[in-house]
Amino acid sequence: MTADGLRDVEGDLWTVDREELRNSVGETRERVVGRHGLWFAFRTHYGETHVLR
């Protein structure tokens, strides 16, 4: 990632938008849905782990 966006292995620069990625020739890639997590919720998804304090 650069200050201007993301650069792929071929050197193309992709700008990051709320809904998509777009390169300099107008190609787009849909946003991949992610999941935000908080440290204290990690154990609810991965019950075999332990949270150390």
Side-chain angles (χ1 to χ4, degrees):
M1 179 139 189
T2 69
D4 299 324
L6 298 169
R7 192 165 299 277
D8 65 17
V9 295
E10 283 120 20
D12 294 331
L13 183 63
W14 294 80
T15 55
V16 180
D17 190 307
R18 184 175 172 90
E19 298 300 323
E20 65 189 8
L21 297 175
R22 181 178 301 273
N23 69 7
S24 59
V25 292
E27 294 178 24
T28 60
R29 298 293 184 266
E30 245 182 86
R31 180 180 177 168
V32 175
V33 179
R35 182 172 76 187
H36 296 286
L38 301 174
W39 69 269
F40 52 82
F42 186 86
R43 191 157 188 245
T44 62
H45 298 286
Y46 305 98
E48 299 300 315
T49 61
H50 298 281
V51 177
L52 300 176
R53 297 180 193 165

